[in-house]
Amino acid sequence: MAEVDESQFSIMSLEDELTCSICLSTFDCPVTIPCGHNFCQDCLLATWKESYSCPQCRTLFATRPELKKNTVLTAVVETFKVRSSKNEPNLTAEESQVKKKEILRCDTCMEAEASKTCLTCMASYCEEHLRPHRENPIFRLHSLSEPVGDLLERICPDHHKLMELFCTQHDRPICSFCLQQVHKGCSFTTPDEQRSRKESDLRSNLGLLDGKIVKNETIIFEMKDMQNKLKDLATSRKRALTAEYQQMKEMLVQDEREALNAVDREVETGQTKLRVLMKKFGDNIDNMTKAKEEIHSLLSRSQTQAFLQAPFNLPQAINFEPYSPKISLDSKKVLASQAFAAALKQHLTEIFKQPVESRLPLNTPEVNPDILAAGSAYTTLWSTVGSPLGSGNLLEYEVESSSGHLKLPRSHSPGPQAKTAQKKKTPKPKPKNPQSTGDGMGDKNTGRSMENLLEFGGKPRGRTPAAEPKQKPETTDIPPDISTAEKRSELLKYGTVLTFNPRTAHKRIALTENFTKASVSDDHINYPDCPERFAVCSQVLASKGFSTGRHYWEVRLSSSNFVGIGLAYNSIDRKGPTSRLGRNAQSWCVEWFNVKLSVWHNSSETVLANPNPKRVGVLLDCEAGTATFYNVADRAYPFHSFMFPFAQAVYPAFWIFSSGSFITLCKLQQFSFVPHRLTHISPIMAEVDESQFSIMSLEDELTCSICLSTFDCPVTIPCGHNFCQDCLLATWKESYSCPQCRTLFATRPELKKNTVLTAVVETFKVRSSKSEDNPTAEESQVKKKEIIRCDTCMETEASKTCLTCMASYCEEHLRPHRENPIFRPHQLSEPVGDLLERICSDHHKLKEFFCSQHDRLICSFCLQQVHKGCSFISPEEQKNLKESDLRDKLGLLNEKMEKTETVVFQINTMQSKLKDGANKRKTALAAVYQQMRDILTQDEREAQNEVDRELELGQMKLRDLVKKLDENCNKMGKAREDINRLLSQSQSMAFLQASFELPKVVKIEPKVPPINLDSKKMIAMQSFAAALRETLMEMLKQPTEARLLLFKAGQTAAPVSGPARPESTGAQPELEVECSPAQPRLPESNSPGPQAQTAKKKRTRKTKTKPNESTGIMGIKKNARSMENLLEYGVKEEPRDCSPAAEPNQKPEAPDIPPDISTAEKRGELLKYATELTFDPSTAHKRIALTENFTKASVSDEHINYPDCPGRFAVCSQVLASKGFSTGRHYWEVRLTNINFIGIGLAYSSIDRKGPTSRLGRNVQSWCVEWFDVGLSVWHNSTETVLANPNPKRVGVLLDCEAGTATFYRVAERAYPFHTIKFPYPAFLEAIYPAFWIFSNGSSITFCKMQQ
């Protein structure tokens, strides 16, 4: 480079800057992207496939940047290439010297090529001048070699002697004088031996480089293959996510379709009802029109006698008051659909507001209890999304103004209980405490079977007004399904007389009425001790057991609250904690808890819809292995069946918990149910004979409830109701349901004419037609005498009738009456056809009077004899009175017709408004479901983007590693070339003096990195999507009316500290090499603490859950209920389904949560406020043992003989510290031997010690952090908050009385806070004490000495 000018050197020095970082070659068509980096255009486009990012700085561009050639950089590159091509022939100084000296000349003649070099003479000779060395013996001892060009370098610069030795210590050639002087004592060898040794080392290094290069290339290939697999994995995961969300959307679409169909069905039902009323009102108008015509016909009659004797009765329609029906779309199913849609949307909105990692524990929905109050629950909840039908809508809601309760549809209440419910429509009392409502959907804690109970046989704590014996919880009666009902008489064939067995009754169970009534006593009853008696649970068995045959019994319940009815083997445990009915494998139980009905067996719970029965029947079929429970009313309506093998005799079993509740074994006497029917016998029916009356009285029963006419081709459907075939088919359009009881049929029932009912209808029609076909005598005579003939000629039509002569005359024969004065007094009138009727049949005199009392015409002799003393008037006056009465009736008919026509007009208007209201409601429903689908689409998009981000991060890391390994391969390739060049060096001195070092990259061990898509956020998204799909599926499987209850009755899964890998629908290739596929790696930045490091060492494959294990809605074991499985406080605890994780000696394997270093505090800072504490023995429960100078508390198997005192806890196994605080800061630590069934908290000294509300966190005077199984919860005032479990061994508590806070720490090398309690203002009006609860044997709490 010495001959290159300065300007050229400045260009050649830019070789690295002018190299593309992708292809590692000089730029070809360079382009510049927005981040400022430059690449070859083709190289950059090859990297841009799915996303647009800079290959060097990884800057991500939303859209593809526009690429244009950088003209300045292109000119520089062209200049560089030109200069580079010119300098390629210019070799380096060493290379040129080598080329120049490739031909060695003879040192004597300086022309001929040298053939040998004499190492003694230190000169090279051609063949000519070498002859003396070959011929003269004196040169025989000279050392000849091949021509050597570096003779001067072989001369020692110090002694000018040939360097014929090699010092291995100083790694340089030396002469013999150097060996005797400077290098005296050094180990040496010959240059040839040293060359051989160095060549061997170089070849070893060459082999090492070859191996490393091969390994690097293999790893590069594997990583490139991993890139493809990573893409495939991302595609598969995105496909699985899409499938999950698509299933959820399809479920919502299906549910939306059902909700809209429910609205359509309600519209059709309302329209049918309106059409029927329209037909009825139209018939009434026709009848009244005919009555008006009859009145006008009567008023137009001129013959007084005929007018007075003509009968007229107002039609029955005049008594029917026209009304606008209360038609709405607010059926139970529609309102439930609306409420569920709104609640689900609210639930999804709240969930998706949370970070992805926090969503999984929130998957179990909760709904604001205030909006689920009885009566207005659905309407209020629907109003949150904008109901299309408000309170001011012209379509009236079927609501009583005084109560606001929704009326039950008549068709939904065939049983007597439903009718009673309709009669007793009174406003429900509002709970005094809004935080503890008695509603099963609103109370946060009432849904758990034993969570709020403190001791069996005692009163439930925190009882709300809905649970008081005097104020029963008002649950909506569920309409019994007539299709599954059985006749009670059929069941009574297997009736069995039972009594309670006093030897099994718990001492709190009082048995009365000859051992047929069981109730809860306030005091223990002095029963003798025996092995059969229940000692823990307030239960009792029947005195008789069964193993064969069929047996039926009934029990009467005082209230469906804290009562259980079941069956149990005689081998059921009587003394231990597993003796509770349904909490073991030997018993089955149907249990009412508050307003919830659950079925229990082997500690597995199934929630049922509560029929709220007053009498329960049980049919035990030992041959079929079933036990069926019935709600007994007019019929027996089954609501649950058990199926089990009879391994031994099974006994009826009963559990009673609440004072005021009792169970009575019923005497099996069949009672009859006669529906109330109003029977009215019309006076017209009085003349019908007895056989005809029996048929004619069935007119109401033989009337179709759709068309309100007598049955025409009657058919009977499976629910038992009858309709006209055409009427029924007209109502069946989209779905098949009974128009009367609303029973829904999956398929269209087969319709066949009911032959018996058809015969009855035909008989009824024949008898009815006979009575209609017999006209009155007056009508028949009028028809016969329509044309009145002259009584003289008997041919010509009469023009006048002489009432004196009592004869009718034509104009010809009337002339004497008109012309002869003797006939002038005779009274003439219009032709009268009933002259004979005007003659008194008794006295043959003209009837010229009208008896008002007997309502008939009489003669003068009648007036003096039979009707003597009766009031009478002239026929003309009676006619005037009757005309006046008929005109009044005419006015009444006109008024009634006008009113009916107005109502008909309103009904027509209502029909259109009903359609409009339905359209608005369907639009609102569609909007809610669309919003939910949009929410899911947005979350799906975020999940897909998260997969893309994870893929991009993995690809970026792989590309960086591939690039680094490529660079390492290039460096090792250059080292190989250097070694080969050295090995080809023929000059030993130059070879020995040449230095070589292996590149540092040889020490780097290449390996495939553990890259996958299982980040914490990604796993949380997958787990949440799968859990949400399962939750929706479980919800939508339920009946519409029962879904809303699932928002509280849903079982909360145990919180998972680290999200488990979800089970994908498709196979996903595992790319993680160093860690187990079933355990995702924790990010290194998230695991600074020692537990996280331990977690890395203990990565083991998770065991799969057995199929028979009880799992929750999301596949997580249901073991996080705070008090559901406990039987009595202070008793040795043995949880149900006791898995190895729950054993005292085998701690539950809850994954350690990596502490957050950003929130950790130095323990030394907390120890400044250290306080030494001990337990107060005067507060310790008698099952709490205090040892080690009152610094250790544990559970004792037996009661400790502590003296009785007011401050001692009597119900819960709890204890307070001996010191309380109201000012300052105080810090203490406790060591936990077993994080299972332990609570640490704070309590005021005023906390209840004896009653059922003394449990920590279940009142307003205490706060508690409670470990239950592997779950961690915070309790205050009976409100639970679930936390992620940090699984601490030592817990610190910092109480800051000034700030009103208490912070709980997991103490390790630092103190990691996991929860802070904020006390309400004003705080610490009295001293607050550290408080502790211990339940499980093997668990203990110890106060730690404050030593840092």
Side-chain angles (χ1 to χ4, degrees):
M1 296 288 290
E3 299 177 0
V4 182
D5 59 17
E6 187 64 22
S7 61
Q8 185 177 359
F9 175 77
S10 63
I11 293 294
M12 298 304 293
S13 63
L14 296 177
E15 182 177 3
D16 292 338
E17 285 74 6
L18 299 178
T19 301
C20 174
S21 60
I22 299 177
C23 64
L24 302 180
S25 301
T26 307
F27 285 124
D28 181 16
C29 188
V31 293
T32 304
I33 56 178
C35 61
H37 294 111
N38 302 280
F39 306 94
C40 302
Q41 185 173 9
D42 294 338
C43 297
L44 184 61
L45 291 176
T47 64
W48 283 357
K49 293 182 178 179
E50 296 182 357
S51 59
Y52 308 108
S53 61
C54 175
Q56 193 163 344
C57 66
R58 308 305 181 192
T59 300
L60 193 63
F61 309 115
T63 59
R64 171 179 164 175
E66 185 178 3
L67 301 180
K68 292 187 177 181
K69 184 169 69 174
N70 190 322
T71 54
V72 176
L73 189 57
T74 302
V76 174
V77 169
E78 293 298 331
T79 304
F80 173 79
K81 288 181 178 179
V82 171
R83 296 295 179 88
S84 177
S85 61
K86 287 182 178 179
N87 289 327
E88 282 180 359
N90 298 333
L91 304 176
T92 61
E94 292 81 3
E95 290 174 346
S96 60
Q97 287 180 2
V98 168
K99 287 196 173 184
K100 290 178 182 178
K101 296 183 179 180
E102 283 179 356
I103 300 174
L104 294 178
R105 303 297 178 179
C106 174
D107 289 329
T108 302
C109 64
M110 299 297 290
E111 291 180 358
E113 184 179 357
S115 61
K116 293 291 182 182
T117 296
C118 179
L119 298 179
T120 305
C121 300
M122 297 301 293
S124 298
Y125 303 100
C126 59
E127 286 296 331
E128 179 64 25
H129 296 99
L130 191 61
R131 287 173 58 194
H133 281 73
R134 297 186 186 278
E135 297 174 357
N136 194 339
I138 196 169
F139 293 106
R140 190 170 298 170
L141 296 177
H142 286 207
S143 176
L144 297 176
S145 69
E146 293 299 317
V148 176
D150 55 348
L151 282 176
L152 296 178
E153 295 177 2
R154 293 201 175 197
I155 301 300
C156 178
D158 298 325
H159 307 101
H160 304 287
K161 295 286 288 181
L162 178 66
M163 292 186 291
E164 50 190 348
L165 303 173
F166 190 88
C167 177
T168 56
Q169 286 182 250
H170 295 88
D171 196 23
R172 57 174 295 184
I174 57 175
C175 66
S176 57
F177 287 99
C178 291
L179 183 62
Q180 297 173 10
Q181 297 174 7
V182 180
H183 293 273
K184 189 176 183 179
C186 291
S187 58
F188 63 93
T189 182
T190 63
D192 293 336
E193 291 176 353
Q194 182 61 26
R195 179 185 176 98
S196 299
R197 190 178 296 116
K198 189 172 182 178
E199 286 179 349
S200 176
D201 290 340
L202 288 175
R203 289 190 176 91
S204 297
N205 290 338
L206 189 63
L208 176 62
L209 287 172
D210 289 337
K212 283 289 183 180
I213 290 174
V214 171
K215 192 170 184 180
N216 277 342
E217 290 174 347
T218 303
I219 296 298
I220 289 173
F221 175 78
E222 290 179 1
M223 284 195 291
K224 289 182 178 178
D225 183 60
M226 184 183 290
Q227 284 180 314
N228 297 329
K229 288 184 178 180
L230 204 60
K231 290 180 182 178
D232 295 340
L233 176 60
T235 303
S236 174
R237 189 157 294 185
K238 289 169 72 174
R239 191 182 301 115
L241 279 170
T242 302
E244 295 278 2
Y245 282 94
Q246 184 60 33
Q247 288 181 21
M248 287 188 276
K249 291 177 188 176
E250 290 174 355
M251 285 189 283
L252 289 178
V253 169
Q254 177 64 25
D255 194 59
E256 176 188 3
R257 189 180 301 114
E258 292 177 0
L260 296 180
N261 289 341
V263 175
D264 290 335
R265 284 193 293 271
E266 288 303 314
V267 172
E268 182 60 29
T269 302
Q271 295 280 26
T272 301
K273 185 174 181 181
L274 292 177
R275 285 194 297 269
V276 170
L277 286 175
M278 288 277 289
K279 184 177 182 298
K280 180 73 173 178
F281 292 155
D283 293 341
N284 291 348
I285 291 174
D286 292 341
N287 293 334
M288 288 187 285
T289 302
K290 291 179 181 178
K292 285 178 61 180
E293 292 175 356
E294 290 180 14
I295 291 176
H296 287 298
S297 176
L298 285 175
L299 292 175
S300 64
R301 289 190 179 185
S302 60
Q303 300 175 8
T304 304
Q305 186 79 11
F307 177 78
L308 292 177
Q309 291 183 349
F312 175 78
N313 290 319
L314 283 172
Q316 292 293 328
I318 201 70
N319 299 322
F320 186 79
E321 188 67 25
Y323 64 94
S324 295
K326 295 179 180 179
I327 302 292
S328 73
L329 303 178
D330 298 332
S331 70
K332 189 175 182 181
K333 187 168 185 178
V334 170
L335 291 176
S337 299
Q338 293 174 335
F340 172 71
L344 183 59
K345 177 199 163 190
Q346 173 191 352
H347 175 60
L348 291 178
T349 304
E350 292 299 324
I351 283 184
F352 287 114
K353 286 181 182 177
Q354 305 299 323
V356 177
E357 296 83 353
S358 305
R359 292 178 185 173
L360 196 58
L362 299 177
N363 188 42
T364 301
E366 289 189 16
V367 177
N368 185 358
D370 297 335
I371 62 178
L372 298 179
S376 60
Y378 303 133
T379 308
T380 306
L381 185 59
W382 184 246
S383 64
T384 60
V385 295
S387 173
L389 298 176
S391 59
N393 196 296
L394 291 175
L395 297 179
E396 298 181 23
Y397 288 82
E398 225 171 320
V399 177
E400 288 188 9
S401 59
S402 60
S403 64
H405 294 153
L406 294 172
K407 287 187 178 180
L408 289 174
R410 295 177 183 175
S411 58
H412 282 194
S413 51
Q417 287 181 341
K419 294 182 178 180
T420 306
Q422 288 184 351
K423 295 177 182 178
K424 296 182 179 180
K425 289 173 183 171
T426 56
K428 294 185 180 179
K430 294 183 179 179
K432 294 180 180 179
N433 185 2
Q435 296 178 354
S436 59
T437 60
D439 199 331
M441 295 178 291
D443 189 356
K444 186 171 182 179
N445 301 315
T446 55
R448 302 185 177 185
S449 292
M450 284 303 299
E451 185 170 329
N452 305 323
L453 307 184
L454 294 179
E455 184 180 11
F456 284 81
K459 294 181 179 181
R461 59 180 173 80
R463 174 180 291 177
T464 60
E468 292 294 334
K470 297 180 181 180
Q471 188 175 345
K472 300 177 183 179
E474 297 186 10
T475 58
T476 303
D477 291 335
I478 295 178
D481 187 0
I482 193 69
S483 62
T484 60
E486 297 185 19
K487 291 184 179 179
R488 186 168 172 266
S489 58
E490 295 297 324
L491 298 174
L492 290 177
K493 296 177 182 178
Y494 313 106
T496 303
V497 178
L498 294 178
T499 58
F500 295 110
N501 186 356
R503 293 180 59 83
T504 64
H506 186 273
K507 291 188 176 183
R508 299 293 294 275
I509 298 294
L511 301 179
T512 56
E513 299 181 6
N514 295 326
F515 303 112
T516 61
K517 181 178 179 180
S519 58
V520 176
S521 172
D522 292 332
D523 301 323
H524 280 265
I525 300 173
N526 192 21
Y527 291 134
D529 292 334
C530 58
E532 296 91 346
R533 191 173 309 286
F534 287 101
V536 177
C537 306
S538 51
Q539 300 174 171
V540 62
L541 299 184
S543 57
K544 192 185 297 184
F546 310 100
S547 58
T548 59
R550 284 188 177 184
H551 308 276
Y552 177 74
W553 61 92
E554 291 179 357
V555 294
R556 186 171 64 253
L557 309 180
S558 62
S559 65
S560 303
N561 201 9
F562 303 107
V563 168
I565 302 173
L567 295 155
Y569 290 134
N570 195 36
S571 59
I572 186 175
D573 184 21
R574 312 295 175 99
K575 310 296 183 184
T578 61
S579 60
R580 176 73 187 281
L581 289 181
R583 274 55 170 196
N584 48 65
Q586 289 80 31
S587 63
W588 297 259
C589 182
V590 175
E591 176 182 287
W592 284 266
F593 190 94
N594 276 356
V595 295
K596 185 177 76 168
L597 173 61
S598 302
V599 175
W600 286 87
H601 172 62
N602 202 17
S603 297
S604 178
E605 179 185 18
T606 303
V607 179
L608 304 179
N610 189 359
N612 197 22
K614 301 298 183 291
R615 182 184 289 230
V616 176
V618 183
L619 176 63
L620 177 65
D621 190 342
C622 299
E623 311 304 330
T626 61
T628 305
F629 291 76
Y630 296 89
N631 172 18
V632 179
D634 54 321
R635 292 192 177 194
Y637 300 95
F639 59 89
H640 185 70
S641 291
F642 285 116
M643 298 189 69
F644 52 90
F646 285 88
Q648 51 183 297
V650 67
Y651 288 77
F654 308 91
W655 168 73
I656 318 174
F657 183 80
S658 175
S659 295
S661 298
F662 61 84
I663 297 177
T664 304
L665 294 169
C666 301
K667 294 181 181 179
L668 295 187
Q669 296 178 355
Q670 184 174 5
F671 61 88
S672 60
F673 173 76
V674 180
H676 175 71
R677 181 183 301 144
L678 180 63
T679 305
H680 176 71
I681 302 177
S682 172
I684 302 176
M685 300 285 294
E687 299 177 0
V688 183
D689 61 293
E690 186 62 26
S691 61
Q692 184 176 356
F693 173 75
S694 63
I695 295 293
M696 299 303 290
S697 63
L698 297 177
E699 181 177 4
D700 292 340
E701 285 74 7
L702 299 178
T703 300
C704 173
S705 60
I706 299 176
C707 64
L708 301 181
S709 301
T710 308
F711 285 125
D712 181 17
C713 188
V715 292
T716 304
I717 55 178
C719 63
H721 293 114
N722 302 279
F723 307 94
C724 302
Q725 184 173 9
D726 294 338
C727 298
L728 184 62
L729 291 176
T731 63
W732 283 357
K733 293 184 178 179
E734 295 183 358
S735 61
Y736 308 108
S737 62
C738 174
Q740 191 163 343
C741 67
R742 307 302 184 195
T743 301
L744 193 64
F745 308 113
T747 60
R748 171 178 162 175
E750 185 178 1
L751 301 181
K752 291 187 177 180
K753 184 169 68 173
N754 189 322
T755 55
V756 176
L757 189 57
T758 301
V760 175
V761 170
E762 293 299 330
T763 304
F764 172 79
K765 288 181 177 180
V766 170
R767 296 294 178 89
S768 178
S769 62
K770 285 182 179 180
S771 61
E772 290 177 358
D773 292 341
N774 294 328
T776 62
E778 292 81 0
E779 291 175 348
S780 60
Q781 289 179 4
V782 167
K783 288 183 180 180
K784 292 178 182 178
K785 298 183 179 181
E786 286 181 355
I787 300 175
I788 301 172
R789 304 293 180 181
C790 175
D791 290 329
T792 302
C793 64
M794 301 296 290
E795 293 180 358
T796 309
E797 184 177 358
S799 61
K800 291 291 182 181
T801 297
C802 178
L803 298 180
T804 305
C805 300
M806 294 301 295
S808 298
Y809 304 101
C810 61
E811 285 295 330
E812 178 65 24
H813 296 100
L814 191 63
R815 287 173 60 192
H817 281 72
R818 297 186 185 277
E819 297 173 355
N820 194 341
I822 197 170
F823 292 106
R824 190 168 297 170
H826 286 208
Q827 184 180 358
L828 297 177
S829 71
E830 292 299 319
V832 176
D834 55 350
L835 281 176
L836 294 178
E837 295 178 2
R838 290 203 174 192
I839 301 299
C840 177
S841 58
D842 297 329
H843 305 102
H844 305 287
K845 296 288 288 182
L846 179 65
K847 298 177 183 176
E848 49 189 346
F849 302 101
F850 188 86
C851 179
S852 303
Q853 288 182 249
H854 295 88
D855 195 25
R856 58 179 297 183
L857 289 168
I858 58 176
C859 67
S860 57
F861 285 99
C862 292
L863 183 61
Q864 297 172 9
Q865 297 175 6
V866 180
H867 294 274
K868 187 176 182 179
C870 292
S871 59
F872 63 93
I873 58 176
S874 66
E876 286 74 16
E877 291 178 351
Q878 179 62 26
K879 181 179 180 180
N880 293 334
L881 290 175
K882 189 171 182 179
E883 286 179 348
S884 176
D885 181 58
L886 287 176
R887 288 189 178 91
D888 292 340
K889 290 181 179 179
L890 188 61
L892 179 62
L893 286 172
N894 289 329
E895 180 183 355
K896 188 68 70 172
M897 286 180 63
E898 182 179 357
K899 191 172 183 180
T900 305
E901 289 170 351
T902 303
V903 171
V904 169
F905 175 77
Q906 291 176 355
I907 291 177
N908 282 327
T909 307
M910 190 178 292
Q911 284 182 316
S912 60
K913 289 186 177 180
L914 192 64
K915 293 179 181 178
D916 295 341
N919 292 334
K920 291 179 181 178
R921 187 161 294 192
K922 289 169 69 176
T923 302
L925 267 174
V928 171
Y929 279 95
Q930 184 59 45
Q931 289 173 8
M932 287 190 280
R933 288 194 293 271
D934 292 342
I935 291 173
L936 292 177
T937 300
Q938 177 63 26
D939 193 63
E940 178 187 3
R941 190 179 300 115
E942 292 178 3
Q944 301 279 13
N945 292 340
E946 184 63 25
V947 175
D948 291 335
R949 283 192 290 270
E950 290 295 319
L951 175 63
E952 180 60 28
L953 290 174
Q955 296 280 34
M956 186 186 303
K957 187 173 181 180
L958 289 174
R959 283 196 297 267
D960 291 342
L961 290 173
V962 168
K963 179 182 177 182
K964 189 171 183 179
L965 291 178
D966 280 334
E967 293 175 353
N968 294 347
C969 287
N970 291 334
K971 292 178 181 179
M972 289 187 287
K974 292 179 181 178
R976 289 180 73 254
E977 293 175 359
D978 293 341
I979 290 176
N980 289 327
R981 188 168 56 252
L982 284 175
L983 291 175
S984 63
Q985 181 68 261
S986 60
Q987 300 176 6
S988 298
M989 191 60 62
F991 176 80
L992 292 176
Q993 288 182 346
S995 62
F996 174 79
E997 291 183 2
L998 283 173
K1000 293 181 180 180
V1001 296
V1002 175
K1003 299 179 181 179
I1004 299 176
E1005 187 66 26
K1007 61 180 180 179
V1008 178
I1011 296 177
N1012 55 29
L1013 304 180
D1014 296 331
S1015 68
K1016 187 176 181 181
K1017 188 173 182 180
M1018 189 66 253
I1019 292 178
M1021 280 187 166
Q1022 287 182 287
S1023 303
F1024 170 72
L1028 183 60
R1029 177 180 57 81
E1030 292 296 328
T1031 303
L1032 280 177
M1033 188 178 297
E1034 290 298 324
M1035 281 185 177
L1036 299 180
K1037 281 181 182 178
Q1038 304 300 323
T1040 306
E1041 296 83 350
R1043 291 177 188 171
L1044 206 59
L1045 295 173
L1046 297 179
F1047 277 85
K1048 277 307 297 179
Q1051 297 167 348
T1052 305
V1056 183
S1057 57
R1061 181 175 303 204
E1063 294 183 2
S1064 176
T1065 55
Q1068 298 179 359
E1070 289 294 338
L1071 301 178
E1072 207 170 70
V1073 174
E1074 293 187 346
C1075 61
S1076 170
Q1079 181 71 24
R1081 283 193 167 193
L1082 294 174
E1084 296 180 2
S1085 60
N1086 284 352
S1087 53
Q1091 286 185 335
Q1093 302 294 335
T1094 308
K1096 287 184 177 181
K1097 296 178 182 178
K1098 295 181 179 180
R1099 287 188 186 111
T1100 57
R1101 188 178 301 274
K1102 293 183 180 178
T1103 58
K1104 294 183 178 179
T1105 305
K1106 295 180 180 179
N1108 59 353
E1109 288 182 344
S1110 178
T1111 56
I1113 243 174
M1114 294 177 289
I1116 305 172
K1117 292 186 72 177
K1118 296 185 281 189
N1119 51 9
R1121 300 191 174 188
S1122 295
M1123 284 305 295
E1124 182 170 328
N1125 308 323
L1126 306 186
L1127 297 179
E1128 184 181 8
Y1129 287 81
V1131 180
K1132 181 178 179 181
E1133 187 275 335
E1134 292 182 16
R1136 62 180 174 85
D1137 277 346
C1138 196
S1139 60
E1143 292 294 332
N1145 297 328
Q1146 186 174 354
K1147 298 179 181 178
E1149 297 183 2
D1152 293 328
I1153 296 177
D1156 188 1
I1157 194 67
S1158 63
T1159 60
E1161 298 184 20
K1162 292 183 178 180
R1163 188 165 170 265
E1165 297 296 321
L1166 298 174
L1167 291 177
K1168 296 177 182 178
Y1169 313 105
T1171 302
E1172 295 292 335
L1173 294 177
T1174 59
F1175 294 109
D1176 185 358
S1178 65
T1179 64
H1181 186 273
K1182 291 189 177 183
R1183 300 297 292 272
I1184 298 293
L1186 302 179
T1187 54
E1188 297 180 8
N1189 294 326
F1190 302 114
T1191 60
K1192 181 177 180 179
S1194 57
V1195 176
S1196 171
D1197 290 334
E1198 299 176 354
H1199 280 267
I1200 300 172
N1201 193 22
Y1202 290 135
D1204 292 330
C1205 59
R1208 189 173 310 286
F1209 288 100
V1211 177
C1212 306
S1213 51
Q1214 300 174 169
V1215 62
L1216 300 183
S1218 57
K1219 191 184 298 184
F1221 311 101
S1222 59
T1223 59
R1225 285 188 175 183
H1226 309 277
Y1227 178 75
W1228 61 91
E1229 292 179 356
V1230 292
R1231 185 172 64 255
L1232 311 178
T1233 57
N1234 184 14
I1235 311 172
N1236 202 5
F1237 307 106
I1238 281 181
I1240 303 172
L1242 295 151
Y1244 288 125
S1245 59
S1246 60
I1247 185 176
D1248 183 22
R1249 313 295 174 98
K1250 310 297 183 183
T1253 60
S1254 60
R1255 176 73 186 282
L1256 290 181
R1258 275 57 172 195
N1259 47 65
V1260 296
Q1261 289 84 21
S1262 62
W1263 295 258
C1264 182
V1265 175
E1266 179 181 283
W1267 283 267
F1268 190 95
D1269 276 359
V1270 294
L1272 172 62
S1273 302
V1274 177
W1275 286 87
H1276 173 62
N1277 198 18
S1278 296
T1279 299
E1280 179 185 21
T1281 303
V1282 179
L1283 304 179
N1285 189 359
N1287 199 22
K1289 303 297 184 293
R1290 182 184 289 227
V1291 176
V1293 183
L1294 176 63
L1295 176 65
D1296 190 343
C1297 297
E1298 311 303 327
T1301 60
T1303 305
F1304 292 76
Y1305 297 85
R1306 183 178 71 83
V1307 179
E1309 79 281 8
R1310 290 192 176 195
Y1312 301 94
F1314 61 89
H1315 185 68
T1316 298
I1317 294 174
K1318 293 186 178 181
F1319 300 94
Y1321 181 84
F1324 308 112
L1325 295 179
E1326 58 180 308
I1328 195 166
Y1329 291 77
F1332 307 87
W1333 168 73
I1334 318 174
F1335 187 86
S1336 176
N1337 281 17
S1339 298
S1340 65
I1341 299 177
T1342 306
F1343 281 119
C1344 301
K1345 294 182 180 180
M1346 298 288 107
Q1347 296 177 357
Q1348 188 169 357

